[in-house]
mmCIF file of all heavy atoms in Angstrom:
data_model
loop_
_atom_site.group_PDB
_atom_site.id
_atom_site.type_symbol
_atom_site.label_atom_id
_atom_site.label_comp_id
_atom_site.label_asym_id
_atom_site.label_seq_id
_atom_site.Cartn_x
_atom_site.Cartn_y
_atom_site.Cartn_z
ATOM 1 N N SER A 216 -16.700 15.398 21.680
ATOM 2 C CA SER A 216 -15.702 15.711 20.653
ATOM 3 C C SER A 216 -16.132 15.111 19.326
ATOM 4 O O SER A 216 -17.010 14.233 19.272
ATOM 5 C CB SER A 216 -14.350 15.121 21.056
ATOM 6 O OG SER A 216 -14.457 13.711 21.037
ATOM 7 N N PHE A 217 -15.487 15.567 18.247
ATOM 8 C CA PHE A 217 -15.849 15.033 16.936
ATOM 9 C C PHE A 217 -15.529 13.536 16.854
ATOM 10 O O PHE A 217 -16.288 12.761 16.271
ATOM 11 C CB PHE A 217 -15.132 15.811 15.827
ATOM 12 C CG PHE A 217 -15.626 15.455 14.465
ATOM 13 C CD1 PHE A 217 -16.960 15.640 14.130
ATOM 14 C CD2 PHE A 217 -14.770 14.905 13.516
ATOM 15 C CE1 PHE A 217 -17.448 15.284 12.874
ATOM 16 C CE2 PHE A 217 -15.240 14.562 12.266
ATOM 17 C CZ PHE A 217 -16.576 14.750 11.937
ATOM 18 N N SER A 218 -14.419 13.111 17.484
ATOM 19 C CA SER A 218 -14.098 11.675 17.440
ATOM 20 C C SER A 218 -15.151 10.866 18.195
ATOM 21 O O SER A 218 -15.541 9.775 17.760
ATOM 22 C CB SER A 218 -12.689 11.399 17.963
ATOM 23 O OG SER A 218 -12.510 12.000 19.202
ATOM 24 N N ALA A 219 -15.650 11.429 19.320
ATOM 25 C CA ALA A 219 -16.716 10.720 20.062
ATOM 26 C C ALA A 219 -17.990 10.654 19.216
ATOM 27 O O ALA A 219 -18.703 9.644 19.230
ATOM 28 C CB ALA A 219 -16.975 11.418 21.390
ATOM 29 N N LEU A 220 -18.247 11.724 18.470
ATOM 30 C CA LEU A 220 -19.433 11.722 17.593
ATOM 31 C C LEU A 220 -19.296 10.626 16.527
ATOM 32 O O LEU A 220 -20.225 9.856 16.274
ATOM 33 C CB LEU A 220 -19.587 13.105 16.929
ATOM 34 C CG LEU A 220 -20.775 13.253 15.994
ATOM 35 C CD1 LEU A 220 -22.097 13.221 16.756
ATOM 36 C CD2 LEU A 220 -20.696 14.569 15.191
ATOM 37 N N LEU A 221 -18.091 10.539 15.944
ATOM 38 C CA LEU A 221 -17.869 9.509 14.923
ATOM 39 C C LEU A 221 -18.092 8.113 15.504
ATOM 40 O O LEU A 221 -18.689 7.236 14.882
ATOM 41 C CB LEU A 221 -16.443 9.593 14.374
ATOM 42 C CG LEU A 221 -16.129 10.738 13.413
ATOM 43 C CD1 LEU A 221 -14.663 10.704 13.017
ATOM 44 C CD2 LEU A 221 -17.005 10.656 12.165
ATOM 45 N N GLU A 222 -17.601 7.944 16.714
ATOM 46 C CA GLU A 222 -17.743 6.647 17.372
ATOM 47 C C GLU A 222 -19.219 6.271 17.515
ATOM 48 O O GLU A 222 -19.615 5.133 17.282
ATOM 49 C CB GLU A 222 -17.099 6.748 18.749
ATOM 50 C CG GLU A 222 -16.696 5.427 19.297
ATOM 51 C CD GLU A 222 -15.642 5.626 20.387
ATOM 52 O OE1 GLU A 222 -14.743 6.469 20.221
ATOM 53 O OE2 GLU A 222 -15.760 4.950 21.389
ATOM 54 N N GLN A 223 -20.025 7.263 17.876
ATOM 55 C CA GLN A 223 -21.452 6.978 18.060
ATOM 56 C C GLN A 223 -22.163 6.743 16.727
ATOM 57 O O GLN A 223 -23.076 5.925 16.651
ATOM 58 C CB GLN A 223 -22.108 8.105 18.852
ATOM 59 C CG GLN A 223 -21.506 8.175 20.253
ATOM 60 C CD GLN A 223 -22.384 8.955 21.221
ATOM 61 O OE1 GLN A 223 -23.563 9.133 21.021
ATOM 62 N NE2 GLN A 223 -21.773 9.421 22.293
ATOM 63 N N VAL A 224 -21.732 7.447 15.697
ATOM 64 C CA VAL A 224 -22.332 7.198 14.372
ATOM 65 C C VAL A 224 -21.936 5.787 13.921
ATOM 66 O O VAL A 224 -22.735 5.035 13.357
ATOM 67 C CB VAL A 224 -21.872 8.259 13.334
ATOM 68 C CG1 VAL A 224 -22.389 7.915 11.943
ATOM 69 C CG2 VAL A 224 -22.356 9.652 13.733
ATOM 70 N N ASN A 225 -20.700 5.425 14.239
ATOM 71 C CA ASN A 225 -20.194 4.097 13.863
ATOM 72 C C ASN A 225 -21.041 2.968 14.469
ATOM 73 O O ASN A 225 -21.144 1.887 13.918
ATOM 74 C CB ASN A 225 -18.736 3.976 14.341
ATOM 75 C CG ASN A 225 -17.983 2.847 13.672
ATOM 76 O OD1 ASN A 225 -17.676 2.931 12.491
ATOM 77 N ND2 ASN A 225 -17.721 1.774 14.405
ATOM 78 N N ALA A 226 -21.664 3.260 15.621
ATOM 79 C CA ALA A 226 -22.440 2.216 16.323
ATOM 80 C C ALA A 226 -23.872 2.095 15.785
ATOM 81 O O ALA A 226 -24.623 1.237 16.243
ATOM 82 C CB ALA A 226 -22.468 2.536 17.810
ATOM 83 N N ILE A 227 -24.259 2.939 14.834
ATOM 84 C CA ILE A 227 -25.658 2.914 14.371
ATOM 85 C C ILE A 227 -25.865 1.791 13.344
ATOM 86 O O ILE A 227 -25.178 1.734 12.314
ATOM 87 C CB ILE A 227 -26.061 4.298 13.804
ATOM 88 C CG1 ILE A 227 -26.072 5.315 14.958
ATOM 89 C CG2 ILE A 227 -27.420 4.240 13.096
ATOM 90 C CD1 ILE A 227 -26.380 6.739 14.565
ATOM 91 N N ASP A 228 -26.811 0.916 13.644
ATOM 92 C CA ASP A 228 -27.103 -0.217 12.742
ATOM 93 C C ASP A 228 -27.623 0.293 11.414
ATOM 94 O O ASP A 228 -28.406 1.238 11.374
ATOM 95 C CB ASP A 228 -28.210 -1.102 13.350
ATOM 96 C CG ASP A 228 -27.643 -1.973 14.458
ATOM 97 O OD1 ASP A 228 -26.408 -2.144 14.501
ATOM 98 O OD2 ASP A 228 -28.451 -2.431 15.288
ATOM 99 N N GLY A 229 -27.206 -0.363 10.352
ATOM 100 C CA GLY A 229 -27.702 0.008 9.024
ATOM 101 C C GLY A 229 -26.751 0.935 8.287
ATOM 102 O O GLY A 229 -26.728 0.963 7.065
ATOM 103 N N ILE A 230 -25.971 1.711 9.018
ATOM 104 C CA ILE A 230 -24.965 2.560 8.358
ATOM 105 C C ILE A 230 -23.709 1.705 8.142
ATOM 106 O O ILE A 230 -23.219 1.073 9.078
ATOM 107 C CB ILE A 230 -24.643 3.814 9.222
ATOM 108 C CG1 ILE A 230 -25.866 4.723 9.344
ATOM 109 C CG2 ILE A 230 -23.432 4.580 8.680
ATOM 110 C CD1 ILE A 230 -26.373 5.333 8.051
ATOM 111 N N ASP A 231 -23.243 1.655 6.887
ATOM 112 C CA ASP A 231 -22.047 0.849 6.584
ATOM 113 C C ASP A 231 -20.789 1.692 6.455
ATOM 114 O O ASP A 231 -19.686 1.183 6.580
ATOM 115 C CB ASP A 231 -22.236 0.118 5.247
ATOM 116 C CG ASP A 231 -23.362 -0.888 5.323
ATOM 117 O OD1 ASP A 231 -23.504 -1.514 6.387
ATOM 118 O OD2 ASP A 231 -24.113 -1.014 4.341
ATOM 119 N N ARG A 232 -20.998 2.978 6.079
ATOM 120 C CA ARG A 232 -19.825 3.806 5.816
ATOM 121 C C ARG A 232 -20.005 5.215 6.351
ATOM 122 O O ARG A 232 -21.101 5.771 6.273
ATOM 123 C CB ARG A 232 -19.614 3.940 4.305
ATOM 124 C CG ARG A 232 -18.961 2.747 3.690
ATOM 125 C CD ARG A 232 -18.897 3.019 2.222
ATOM 126 N NE ARG A 232 -17.967 2.137 1.586
ATOM 127 C CZ ARG A 232 -17.631 2.234 0.314
ATOM 128 N NH1 ARG A 232 -18.157 3.169 -0.447
ATOM 129 N NH2 ARG A 232 -16.775 1.386 -0.213
ATOM 130 N N ILE A 233 -18.887 5.790 6.804
ATOM 131 C CA ILE A 233 -18.900 7.178 7.292
ATOM 132 C C ILE A 233 -17.756 7.942 6.618
ATOM 133 O O ILE A 233 -16.638 7.418 6.507
ATOM 134 C CB ILE A 233 -18.670 7.233 8.823
ATOM 135 C CG1 ILE A 233 -19.648 6.298 9.548
ATOM 136 C CG2 ILE A 233 -18.800 8.654 9.343
ATOM 137 C CD1 ILE A 233 -19.264 6.033 11.001
ATOM 138 N N ARG A 234 -18.074 9.149 6.169
ATOM 139 C CA ARG A 234 -17.040 10.073 5.700
ATOM 140 C C ARG A 234 -17.280 11.396 6.409
ATOM 141 O O ARG A 234 -18.370 11.637 6.941
ATOM 142 C CB ARG A 234 -17.146 10.315 4.179
ATOM 143 C CG ARG A 234 -17.057 9.050 3.342
ATOM 144 C CD ARG A 234 -17.144 9.389 1.848
ATOM 145 N NE ARG A 234 -17.302 8.190 1.055
ATOM 146 C CZ ARG A 234 -16.295 7.411 0.635
ATOM 147 N NH1 ARG A 234 -15.051 7.742 0.924
ATOM 148 N NH2 ARG A 234 -16.529 6.325 -0.067
ATOM 149 N N PHE A 235 -16.289 12.292 6.349
ATOM 150 C CA PHE A 235 -16.535 13.647 6.864
ATOM 151 C C PHE A 235 -15.674 14.644 6.100
ATOM 152 O O PHE A 235 -14.613 14.307 5.597
ATOM 153 C CB PHE A 235 -16.285 13.737 8.375
ATOM 154 C CG PHE A 235 -14.891 13.392 8.821
ATOM 155 C CD1 PHE A 235 -13.883 14.334 8.846
ATOM 156 C CD2 PHE A 235 -14.592 12.096 9.245
ATOM 157 C CE1 PHE A 235 -12.608 14.013 9.280
ATOM 158 C CE2 PHE A 235 -13.314 11.761 9.679
ATOM 159 C CZ PHE A 235 -12.321 12.726 9.697
ATOM 160 N N THR A 236 -16.174 15.854 6.022
ATOM 161 C CA THR A 236 -15.449 16.919 5.339
ATOM 162 C C THR A 236 -16.061 18.262 5.718
ATOM 163 O O THR A 236 -17.272 18.295 5.982
ATOM 164 C CB THR A 236 -15.484 16.697 3.809
ATOM 165 O OG1 THR A 236 -14.482 17.465 3.190
ATOM 166 C CG2 THR A 236 -16.832 17.032 3.211
ATOM 167 N N THR A 237 -15.315 19.368 5.863
ATOM 168 C CA THR A 237 -13.913 19.505 5.548
ATOM 169 C C THR A 237 -13.107 19.590 6.844
ATOM 170 O O THR A 237 -13.566 20.160 7.819
ATOM 171 C CB THR A 237 -13.694 20.811 4.742
ATOM 172 O OG1 THR A 237 -14.440 20.734 3.543
ATOM 173 C CG2 THR A 237 -12.256 20.996 4.370
ATOM 174 N N SER A 238 -11.894 19.062 6.802
ATOM 175 C CA SER A 238 -11.025 19.061 7.971
ATOM 176 C C SER A 238 -10.011 20.181 7.867
ATOM 177 O O SER A 238 -9.481 20.433 6.790
ATOM 178 C CB SER A 238 -10.217 17.768 7.999
ATOM 179 O OG SER A 238 -11.049 16.704 8.328
ATOM 180 N N HIS A 239 -9.734 20.793 8.997
ATOM 181 C CA HIS A 239 -8.628 21.758 9.032
ATOM 182 C C HIS A 239 -7.455 21.082 9.743
ATOM 183 O O HIS A 239 -7.609 20.601 10.874
ATOM 184 C CB HIS A 239 -9.053 23.011 9.784
ATOM 185 C CG HIS A 239 -8.121 24.156 9.580
ATOM 186 N ND1 HIS A 239 -6.771 24.069 9.865
ATOM 187 C CD2 HIS A 239 -8.320 25.400 9.087
ATOM 188 C CE1 HIS A 239 -6.191 25.217 9.562
ATOM 189 N NE2 HIS A 239 -7.108 26.041 9.091
ATOM 190 N N PRO A 240 -6.268 21.047 9.126
ATOM 191 C CA PRO A 240 -5.138 20.332 9.738
ATOM 192 C C PRO A 240 -4.833 20.798 11.162
ATOM 193 O O PRO A 240 -4.472 19.987 12.013
ATOM 194 C CB PRO A 240 -3.970 20.644 8.797
ATOM 195 C CG PRO A 240 -4.607 20.983 7.492
ATOM 196 C CD PRO A 240 -5.934 21.593 7.806
ATOM 197 N N LYS A 241 -5.019 22.086 11.425
ATOM 198 C CA LYS A 241 -4.631 22.563 12.769
ATOM 199 C C LYS A 241 -5.520 21.967 13.862
ATOM 200 O O LYS A 241 -5.126 21.942 15.017
ATOM 201 C CB LYS A 241 -4.618 24.088 12.819
ATOM 202 C CG LYS A 241 -5.938 24.745 13.079
ATOM 203 C CD LYS A 241 -5.765 26.245 13.255
ATOM 204 C CE LYS A 241 -7.091 26.957 13.139
ATOM 205 N NZ LYS A 241 -8.182 26.462 13.955
ATOM 206 N N ASP A 242 -6.708 21.508 13.510
ATOM 207 C CA ASP A 242 -7.632 20.974 14.522
ATOM 208 C C ASP A 242 -7.765 19.450 14.484
ATOM 209 O O ASP A 242 -8.669 18.893 15.099
ATOM 210 C CB ASP A 242 -9.031 21.576 14.328
ATOM 211 C CG ASP A 242 -9.023 23.083 14.451
ATOM 212 O OD1 ASP A 242 -8.387 23.577 15.399
ATOM 213 O OD2 ASP A 242 -9.628 23.756 13.598
ATOM 214 N N LEU A 243 -6.881 18.776 13.757
ATOM 215 C CA LEU A 243 -7.004 17.315 13.653
ATOM 216 C C LEU A 243 -6.340 16.678 14.876
ATOM 217 O O LEU A 243 -5.127 16.578 14.952
ATOM 218 C CB LEU A 243 -6.316 16.853 12.361
ATOM 219 C CG LEU A 243 -6.717 15.489 11.845
ATOM 220 C CD1 LEU A 243 -8.119 15.516 11.266
ATOM 221 C CD2 LEU A 243 -5.751 15.013 10.770
ATOM 222 N N SER A 244 -7.161 16.237 15.830
ATOM 223 C CA SER A 244 -6.607 15.728 17.091
ATOM 224 C C SER A 244 -6.070 14.304 16.923
ATOM 225 O O SER A 244 -6.449 13.588 16.004
ATOM 226 C CB SER A 244 -7.696 15.730 18.162
ATOM 227 O OG SER A 244 -8.682 14.780 17.816
ATOM 228 N N ASP A 245 -5.215 13.887 17.871
ATOM 229 C CA ASP A 245 -4.696 12.517 17.853
ATOM 230 C C ASP A 245 -5.838 11.509 17.965
ATOM 231 O O ASP A 245 -5.825 10.447 17.342
ATOM 232 C CB ASP A 245 -3.715 12.301 19.007
ATOM 233 C CG ASP A 245 -2.380 12.959 18.719
ATOM 234 O OD1 ASP A 245 -2.115 13.257 17.525
ATOM 235 O OD2 ASP A 245 -1.614 13.208 19.664
ATOM 236 N N ASP A 246 -6.812 11.889 18.766
ATOM 237 C CA ASP A 246 -7.989 11.045 18.948
ATOM 238 C C ASP A 246 -8.702 10.779 17.627
ATOM 239 O O ASP A 246 -9.113 9.652 17.324
ATOM 240 C CB ASP A 246 -8.963 11.852 19.821
ATOM 241 C CG ASP A 246 -9.372 11.088 21.023
ATOM 242 O OD1 ASP A 246 -8.710 10.085 21.309
ATOM 243 O OD2 ASP A 246 -10.359 11.516 21.660
ATOM 244 N N LEU A 247 -8.820 11.854 16.850
ATOM 245 C CA LEU A 247 -9.498 11.738 15.564
ATOM 246 C C LEU A 247 -8.644 10.900 14.597
ATOM 247 O O LEU A 247 -9.159 10.058 13.857
ATOM 248 C CB LEU A 247 -9.777 13.139 15.004
ATOM 249 C CG LEU A 247 -10.559 13.220 13.705
ATOM 250 C CD1 LEU A 247 -11.826 12.377 13.754
ATOM 251 C CD2 LEU A 247 -10.944 14.671 13.409
ATOM 252 N N ILE A 248 -7.340 11.124 14.635
ATOM 253 C CA ILE A 248 -6.433 10.330 13.788
ATOM 254 C C ILE A 248 -6.613 8.841 14.110
ATOM 255 O O ILE A 248 -6.726 8.006 13.205
ATOM 256 C CB ILE A 248 -4.965 10.783 14.003
ATOM 257 C CG1 ILE A 248 -4.778 12.196 13.426
ATOM 258 C CG2 ILE A 248 -3.982 9.790 13.370
ATOM 259 C CD1 ILE A 248 -3.429 12.821 13.675
ATOM 260 N N ASP A 249 -6.694 8.524 15.403
ATOM 261 C CA ASP A 249 -6.838 7.123 15.810
ATOM 262 C C ASP A 249 -8.131 6.496 15.287
ATOM 263 O O ASP A 249 -8.193 5.275 15.104
ATOM 264 C CB ASP A 249 -6.809 7.003 17.342
ATOM 265 C CG ASP A 249 -5.408 7.236 17.877
ATOM 266 O OD1 ASP A 249 -4.458 7.161 17.070
ATOM 267 O OD2 ASP A 249 -5.273 7.519 19.087
ATOM 268 N N CYS A 250 -9.154 7.333 15.101
ATOM 269 C CA CYS A 250 -10.436 6.798 14.587
ATOM 270 C C CYS A 250 -10.232 6.014 13.287
ATOM 271 O O CYS A 250 -10.935 5.037 13.023
ATOM 272 C CB CYS A 250 -11.431 7.928 14.334
ATOM 273 S SG CYS A 250 -12.101 8.606 15.835
ATOM 274 N N PHE A 251 -9.261 6.459 12.470
ATOM 275 C CA PHE A 251 -9.068 5.778 11.179
ATOM 276 C C PHE A 251 -8.561 4.342 11.366
ATOM 277 O O PHE A 251 -8.730 3.502 10.485
ATOM 278 C CB PHE A 251 -8.124 6.583 10.271
ATOM 279 C CG PHE A 251 -8.802 7.787 9.674
ATOM 280 C CD1 PHE A 251 -8.658 9.040 10.243
ATOM 281 C CD2 PHE A 251 -9.622 7.653 8.563
ATOM 282 C CE1 PHE A 251 -9.297 10.149 9.713
ATOM 283 C CE2 PHE A 251 -10.270 8.749 8.027
ATOM 284 C CZ PHE A 251 -10.107 9.998 8.602
ATOM 285 N N GLY A 252 -7.932 4.084 12.495
ATOM 286 C CA GLY A 252 -7.484 2.715 12.748
ATOM 287 C C GLY A 252 -8.536 1.909 13.513
ATOM 288 O O GLY A 252 -8.525 0.691 13.511
ATOM 289 N N ARG A 253 -9.427 2.611 14.199
ATOM 290 C CA ARG A 253 -10.307 2.015 15.186
ATOM 291 C C ARG A 253 -11.731 1.771 14.691
ATOM 292 O O ARG A 253 -12.361 0.787 15.067
ATOM 293 C CB ARG A 253 -10.351 3.003 16.356
ATOM 294 C CG ARG A 253 -10.643 2.468 17.701
ATOM 295 C CD ARG A 253 -10.066 3.379 18.801
ATOM 296 N NE ARG A 253 -10.317 4.805 18.630
ATOM 297 C CZ ARG A 253 -11.421 5.437 19.001
ATOM 298 N NH1 ARG A 253 -12.404 4.780 19.533
ATOM 299 N NH2 ARG A 253 -11.536 6.739 18.825
ATOM 300 N N LEU A 254 -12.263 2.698 13.890
ATOM 301 C CA LEU A 254 -13.682 2.614 13.522
ATOM 302 C C LEU A 254 -13.842 1.894 12.179
ATOM 303 O O LEU A 254 -13.397 2.391 11.146
ATOM 304 C CB LEU A 254 -14.301 4.017 13.466
ATOM 305 C CG LEU A 254 -14.199 4.831 14.756
ATOM 306 C CD1 LEU A 254 -14.896 6.181 14.601
ATOM 307 C CD2 LEU A 254 -14.785 4.070 15.946
ATOM 308 N N ASP A 255 -14.499 0.730 12.235
ATOM 309 C CA ASP A 255 -14.560 -0.108 11.032
ATOM 310 C C ASP A 255 -15.349 0.529 9.883
ATOM 311 O O ASP A 255 -15.109 0.220 8.724
ATOM 312 C CB ASP A 255 -15.164 -1.484 11.385
ATOM 313 C CG ASP A 255 -16.545 -1.357 12.012
ATOM 314 O OD1 ASP A 255 -16.775 -0.363 12.733
ATOM 315 O OD2 ASP A 255 -17.397 -2.234 11.778
ATOM 316 N N LYS A 256 -16.283 1.458 10.203
ATOM 317 C CA LYS A 256 -17.099 2.021 9.122
ATOM 318 C C LYS A 256 -16.501 3.296 8.517
ATOM 319 O O LYS A 256 -16.987 3.791 7.509
ATOM 320 C CB LYS A 256 -18.508 2.333 9.645
ATOM 321 C CG LYS A 256 -19.261 1.091 10.108
ATOM 322 C CD LYS A 256 -20.618 1.457 10.641
ATOM 323 C CE LYS A 256 -21.305 0.213 11.185
ATOM 324 N NZ LYS A 256 -22.574 0.576 11.860
ATOM 325 N N LEU A 257 -15.479 3.830 9.169
ATOM 326 C CA LEU A 257 -14.897 5.081 8.675
ATOM 327 C C LEU A 257 -14.070 4.814 7.422
ATOM 328 O O LEU A 257 -13.158 3.985 7.432
ATOM 329 C CB LEU A 257 -14.017 5.706 9.781
ATOM 330 C CG LEU A 257 -13.468 7.096 9.507
ATOM 331 C CD1 LEU A 257 -14.592 8.105 9.264
ATOM 332 C CD2 LEU A 257 -12.603 7.563 10.675
ATOM 333 N N CYS A 258 -14.434 5.497 6.323
ATOM 334 C CA CYS A 258 -13.716 5.266 5.060
ATOM 335 C C CYS A 258 -12.268 5.719 5.184
ATOM 336 O O CYS A 258 -11.957 6.638 5.940
ATOM 337 C CB CYS A 258 -14.412 6.014 3.929
ATOM 338 S SG CYS A 258 -15.984 5.247 3.521
ATOM 339 N N LYS A 259 -11.420 5.046 4.393
ATOM 340 C CA LYS A 259 -9.975 5.277 4.537
ATOM 341 C C LYS A 259 -9.501 6.400 3.616
ATOM 342 O O LYS A 259 -8.501 6.267 2.900
ATOM 343 C CB LYS A 259 -9.223 3.987 4.238
ATOM 344 C CG LYS A 259 -9.584 2.910 5.236
ATOM 345 C CD LYS A 259 -8.957 1.605 4.890
ATOM 346 C CE LYS A 259 -9.326 0.596 5.967
ATOM 347 N NZ LYS A 259 -8.549 -0.609 5.847
ATOM 348 N N HIS A 260 -10.272 7.458 3.608
ATOM 349 C CA HIS A 260 -9.921 8.612 2.782
ATOM 350 C C HIS A 260 -10.150 9.866 3.607
ATOM 351 O O HIS A 260 -11.160 9.994 4.298
ATOM 352 C CB HIS A 260 -10.812 8.654 1.528
ATOM 353 C CG HIS A 260 -10.740 9.968 0.823
ATOM 354 N ND1 HIS A 260 -11.816 10.810 0.705
ATOM 355 C CD2 HIS A 260 -9.704 10.602 0.222
ATOM 356 C CE1 HIS A 260 -11.455 11.901 0.045
ATOM 357 N NE2 HIS A 260 -10.175 11.799 -0.250
ATOM 358 N N LEU A 261 -9.198 10.786 3.529
ATOM 359 C CA LEU A 261 -9.353 12.053 4.254
ATOM 360 C C LEU A 261 -8.966 13.211 3.344
ATOM 361 O O LEU A 261 -7.875 13.224 2.769
ATOM 362 C CB LEU A 261 -8.464 12.048 5.508
ATOM 363 C CG LEU A 261 -8.471 13.347 6.326
ATOM 364 C CD1 LEU A 261 -9.856 13.642 6.906
ATOM 365 C CD2 LEU A 261 -7.450 13.277 7.458
ATOM 366 N N HIS A 262 -9.904 14.165 3.228
ATOM 367 C CA HIS A 262 -9.591 15.402 2.504
ATOM 368 C C HIS A 262 -8.998 16.364 3.528
ATOM 369 O O HIS A 262 -9.687 16.781 4.459
ATOM 370 C CB HIS A 262 -10.882 15.957 1.891
ATOM 371 C CG HIS A 262 -10.641 17.160 1.039
ATOM 372 N ND1 HIS A 262 -9.866 17.116 -0.104
ATOM 373 C CD2 HIS A 262 -11.050 18.447 1.156
ATOM 374 C CE1 HIS A 262 -9.818 18.321 -0.643
ATOM 375 N NE2 HIS A 262 -10.522 19.142 0.097
ATOM 376 N N LEU A 263 -7.714 16.645 3.376
ATOM 377 C CA LEU A 263 -7.006 17.445 4.372
ATOM 378 C C LEU A 263 -6.262 18.592 3.673
ATOM 379 O O LEU A 263 -5.063 18.504 3.396
ATOM 380 C CB LEU A 263 -6.023 16.541 5.139
ATOM 381 C CG LEU A 263 -5.425 17.133 6.403
ATOM 382 C CD1 LEU A 263 -6.497 17.405 7.454
ATOM 383 C CD2 LEU A 263 -4.361 16.194 6.990
#
Side-chain angles (χ1 to χ4, degrees):
S216 66
F217 189 60
S218 51
L220 180 69
L221 285 178
E222 203 160 319
Q223 296 198 21
V224 175
N225 197 71
I227 293 177
D228 283 342
I230 295 297
D231 295 323
R232 281 177 164 186
I233 308 166
R234 303 181 190 275
F235 60 86
T236 197
T237 299
S238 288
H239 194 304
K241 84 174 164 51
D242 300 315
L243 200 72
S244 67
D245 284 342
D246 234 14
L247 184 50
I248 291 175
D249 288 343
C250 286
F251 284 97
R253 207 155 46 84
L254 302 182
D255 57 326
K256 297 179 184 173
L257 187 59
C258 289
K259 297 175 178 191
H260 166 245
L261 177 64
H262 185 63
L263 193 64

